[in-house]
Amino acid sequence: MRKFLFVIICVFALLIGAYPLLYAFVDHKYTFLSTKTPGVIRDIIWRGAFSYTLFWEDWHYL
């Protein structure tokens, strides 16, 4: 039972860790960005902050 729970936690951790790759390889109309207005998506500061939180913030967990 304990090994089973460990495997489940590992699978969830890998899925959460792989989530930022979704934004690199999938068209934006199928991601969270599809809920944003075109003005927000074109804003360079917003895009920079969004990319920072997705990609660079994850590195400190390693």
Side-chain angles (χ1 to χ4, degrees), residues 10-56:
C10 288
V11 168
F12 284 139
L14 289 172
L15 289 174
I16 290 170
Y19 178 72
L21 293 175
L22 178 77
Y23 288 91
F25 298 113
V26 176
D27 190 22
H28 295 305
K29 66 181 178 181
Y30 300 115
T31 64
F32 170 73
L33 293 176
S34 67
T35 63
K36 300 298 174 197
T37 63
V40 170
I41 292 176
R42 281 191 302 262
D43 184 14
I44 191 76
I45 295 173
W46 188 89
R47 286 291 291 226
F50 182 75
S51 297
Y52 174 78
T53 58
L54 275 181
F55 298 105
W56 302 115

Side-chain angles (χ1 to χ4, degrees), residues 56-62:
W56 302 115
E57 283 286 318
D58 288 338
W59 288 105
H60 76 274
Y61 289 116
L62 296 176

